[in-house]
Amino acid sequence: MQNTPVESLVGEEYEVEVGPVAHGGHCIARTEAGRVLFVRHALPGERVLARVTEGEETSRFLRADAVEIITPSKDRIEAPCPFAGPGKCGGCDWQHAKPGAQRRLKGEVIAEQLKRLAGLTPEEAGWDGTVVPAEGDKLPAGEVPQWRTRVQYAVDEEGRAGLRKHRSHEVEVIDHCMIAAQGVSELGIEKRTWEGMASIEAIAATGSQDRQVILTPRPGARLPLVELDKPVSVLRVEEKDGGVHRVHGRPFVRERADDRTYRVGNGGFWQVHPKAAQTLVLAVMQGLLPRKGETALDLYCGVGLFAGALADRLGETGAVLGIESGKRAVEDARHNLADYPRVRIEQGKVESVLPRTGITDIDLIVLDPPRAGAGKQTVHHLSELGARRIAYVACDPAALARDLAYFREGGYRVRTLRAFDLFPMTHHVECVAILEPADKGR
């Protein structure tokens, strides 16, 4: 018996009223027949012509782009970037929205995720509903903050640098990225040809003049001679093991936050917005209010940003344990915090290492998990340690909301929640939730 082929709906067009914003940089709309569309390049309340980009007759929903704006929102502006729009670069989701509207949309997504996944209203989460711009980012409509200190360029078959199109491996060749930090733009990556390369990551440190490019060659390709417009270290991703190796210059960049310098090696994780690390450290410390002599955990600790801030405040009688899975990040964290004898960094996955430590009680916990969140098992373990306060740093509101529900099961409630717009023009948002035992009065 032959299966009947399912008809693709890609290219079909529907005139629709655009509904609320959804997590992921799009809005929800329905066709007259009731079919759900996830529409990019639209804003709530608009009437648009939506062209399907993904989906078929049997799909639960269709993805689409707004290719014609019939009735525009008052929050709509002309996208400042020439590479933003339907079928173009997938890096920015909200170039067509006023800056204040972008933050409102992000706030609506956070509120919806909290309600749907954690059963919390903003009031119950101790949140005023606002998403706060980073210092210096409150710009008029049409002006774009140059915030992205790390840019991952893709390279097409002809060696031209660009950025990926939305949900695609196809490269949108560009001559300039408007949200790239000045230190990245000054390298001139887009001006030259990169034959044999698959991708180039450009990094411009915030805490120093350090600049770095990390080249990923196509299989069998030789590394080009790198001559850029500014002095730069060069690293290479090896084809065999995927490891990052130094070609010339320093294998690390120096970043700065909370009056400390941090070494970040081999393209390791550091917050991308130049003000992000400082903003998040302050939010976490203001929420935890560390006391001299307390003990603390810094989970998914990276190169030791929060561990260093905690150690400073806990004093000589306090102690901090950091856990991080990345081998190079652990080396950097140990180097960065070598002057704190009561800070220990363990390598491995949090869910594996934490039970082995034998820790049964702790005063403070900071966790900054990857986008998927910490998960039920880890959250339940943390809930048993009796911390007086927990700071949860989240780059994904859905994962945050899921984990907050698990913390509630473990006897914790949200004391305060703050949201920061550390990824302008995109749908991403950073949150800091401070939790405390539910039986403690506000």
Side-chain angles (χ1 to χ4, degrees):
M1 183 174 162
Q2 223 172 10
N3 290 331
T4 307
V6 179
E7 185 182 354
S8 169
L9 294 178
V10 173
E12 289 290 316
E13 294 182 348
Y14 301 93
E15 188 175 316
V16 292
E17 293 281 350
V18 179
V21 65
H23 184 30
H26 50 253
C27 297
I28 297 173
R30 290 182 183 273
T31 67
E32 287 184 358
R35 190 183 286 276
V36 175
L37 299 179
F38 288 171
V39 188
R40 280 173 60 82
H41 311 292
L43 293 171
E46 292 186 326
R47 189 162 189 84
V48 305
L49 187 66
R51 181 180 298 150
V52 176
T53 56
E54 282 183 50
E56 47 198 27
E57 279 289 353
T58 56
S59 300
R60 284 192 307 114
F61 60 84
L62 306 175
R63 296 185 183 275
D65 285 342
V67 293
E68 182 184 336
I69 311 303
I70 298 163
T71 310
S73 163
K74 61 179 176 51
D75 291 324
R76 176 173 285 276
I77 59 169
E78 189 74 30
C81 178
F83 305 108
K88 297 182 181 179
C89 170
C92 290
D93 308 292
W94 300 120
Q95 287 264 355
H96 58 286
K98 293 176 182 175
Q102 293 182 36
R103 293 190 287 272
R104 283 200 309 276
L105 292 169
K106 295 182 189 195
E108 289 170 19
V109 169
I110 295 168
E112 190 269 336
Q113 296 294 308
L114 286 173
K115 188 66 180 172
R116 187 166 64 85
L117 298 174
L120 291 171
T121 64
E123 293 75 22
E124 289 168 334
W127 176 45
D128 64 6
T130 63
V131 176
V132 182
E135 181 188 339
D137 276 2
K138 205 164 184 181
L139 300 173
E143 289 189 34
V144 176
Q146 299 173 343
W147 61 270
R148 195 162 192 99
T149 60
R150 291 163 180 247
V151 178
Q152 182 84 38
Y153 294 92
V155 181
D156 72 4
E157 297 288 346
E158 296 171 45
R160 299 175 300 176
L163 299 169
R164 300 277 184 202
K165 297 185 178 182
H166 182 60
R167 293 175 63 83
S168 168
H169 291 293
E170 199 175 337
V171 179
E172 175 78 13
V173 176
I174 65 171
D175 57 24
H176 175 62
C177 174
M178 290 188 77
I179 65 172
Q182 185 177 350
V184 169
S185 297
E186 287 175 350
L187 292 174
I189 300 286
E190 305 97 332
K191 294 179 188 174
R192 62 159 292 168
T193 302
W194 298 91
E195 287 179 14
M197 295 300 102
S199 67
I200 306 143
E201 183 176 10
I203 298 170
T206 302
S208 65
Q209 292 299 307
D210 296 347
R211 292 182 175 89
Q212 191 176 80
V213 295
I214 303 173
L215 304 177
T216 303
R218 295 182 186 276
R222 296 183 61 178
L223 212 62
L225 182 66
V226 178
E227 292 180 348
L228 292 170
D229 296 349
K230 295 284 181 181
V232 65
S233 297
V234 178
L235 283 72
R236 170 194 175 116
V237 178
E238 290 294 341
E239 186 182 334
K240 289 180 183 176
D241 60 5
V244 181
H245 301 276
R246 182 178 73 90
V247 177
H248 70 75
R250 286 194 187 99
F252 59 85
V253 296
R254 292 162 297 176
E255 299 282 4
R256 194 156 177 83
D258 200 42
D259 295 325
R260 288 188 65 81
T261 297
Y262 289 85
R263 184 182 84 180
V264 185
N266 291 6
F269 177 78
W270 186 261
Q271 292 287 342
V272 178
H273 193 292
K275 298 291 175 64
Q278 184 68 23
T279 298
L280 295 174
V281 163
L282 287 178
V284 167
M285 296 304 132
Q286 288 165 358
L288 292 180
L289 297 174
R291 301 166 187 162
K292 298 290 184 189
E294 288 190 315
T295 56
L297 287 173
D298 180 10
L299 307 179
Y300 317 93
C301 71
V303 299
L305 172 64
F306 296 115
L310 284 165
D312 263 342
R313 291 158 177 82
L314 297 180
E316 293 180 5
T317 56
V320 182
L321 171 65
I323 302 177
E324 165 60 38
S325 62
K327 184 179 178 183
R328 178 58 201 249
V330 167
E331 291 173 8
D332 286 336
R334 288 171 178 164
H335 169 87
N336 293 332
L337 305 175
D339 52 345
Y340 291 111
R342 291 179 63 80
V343 173
R344 192 167 99 246
I345 308 295
E346 295 286 347
Q347 186 194 346
K349 293 186 176 180
V350 168
E351 60 269 27
S352 302
V353 174
L354 190 56
R356 294 203 305 265
T357 64
I359 292 172
T360 56
D361 65 276
I362 203 83
D363 295 308
L364 302 172
I365 299 171
V366 180
L367 64 157
D368 185 4
R371 195 167 297 282
K376 190 171 188 175
Q377 177 187 340
T378 297
V379 168
H380 282 182
H381 188 150
L382 296 178
S383 301
E384 293 169 355
L385 299 181
R388 68 171 179 84
R389 285 201 180 168
I390 299 172
Y392 189 127
V393 182
C395 61
D396 184 278
L400 171 65
R402 281 192 298 270
D403 284 347
L404 290 182
Y406 299 144
F407 271 115
R408 185 173 56 217
E409 292 172 5
Y412 278 80
R413 70 170 177 206
V414 189
R415 178 184 173 86
T416 61
L417 188 144
R418 297 169 70 184
F420 302 97
D421 189 16
L422 301 179
F423 309 89
M425 304 291 147
T426 78
H427 75 273
H428 299 290
V429 63
E430 200 85 16
C431 295
V432 175
I434 304 297
L435 296 94
E436 65 182 7
D439 55 7
K440 183 178 177 181
R442 280 201 190 274

